[in-house]
């Protein structure tokens, strides 16, 4: 049978382990929030880049059409 001191020591170790686990959970939650924020930012940035690319493509196509029209008129 365990002595009172052994039981107390085991409880102290358990308490320390629980503190470590809680700290790890806190850090993981913080990291998770940060990653979600970064992901939202990247998704938004990507949408803007896709839009800018589409606008550039439309301008290039319009220029090509104008050049073709000039070529046909000349």
């Amino acid at each position: 049978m365990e002595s009172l001191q052994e039981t107390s020591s085991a409880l102290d170790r358990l308490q320390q382990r629980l503190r470590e686990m809680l700290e790890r959970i806190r850090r993981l939650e913080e990291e998770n929030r940060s990653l979600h924020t970064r992901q939202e930012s990247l998704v938004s940035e990507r949408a803007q880049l896709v839009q800018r690319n589409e606008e550039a493509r439309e301008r290039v196509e319009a220029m090509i059409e104008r050049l073709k029209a000039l070529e046909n008129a000349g």
Side-chain angles (χ1 to χ4, degrees):
M1 192 164 150
E2 283 189 9
S3 72
L4 185 57
Q5 188 173 0
E6 290 171 330
T7 301
S8 178
S9 181
L11 286 175
D12 286 345
R13 287 191 306 274
L14 179 59
Q15 191 175 36
Q16 178 60 32
R17 183 76 174 122
L18 286 172
R19 278 193 294 267
E20 291 168 0
M21 291 174 70
L22 288 171
E23 177 59 23
R24 182 173 291 170
I25 289 168
R26 185 196 63 75
R27 285 193 318 266
L28 288 171
E29 286 173 338
E30 184 178 314
E31 181 181 2
N32 193 34
R33 277 191 300 275
S34 175
L35 289 170
H36 277 287
T37 299
R38 180 69 177 140
Q39 180 183 18
E40 289 172 8
S41 174
L42 289 172
V43 166
S44 175
E45 182 180 345
R46 182 184 183 282
Q48 290 173 359
L49 290 171
V50 167
Q51 177 64 31
R52 288 172 55 193
N53 189 43
E54 179 63 22
E55 291 168 0
R57 186 187 60 76
E58 290 172 1
R59 286 195 305 271
V60 168
E61 286 179 357
M63 283 189 263
I64 290 170
E65 289 303 317
R66 285 195 299 272
L67 288 172
K68 285 181 183 178
L70 287 173
E71 187 177 77
N72 290 337

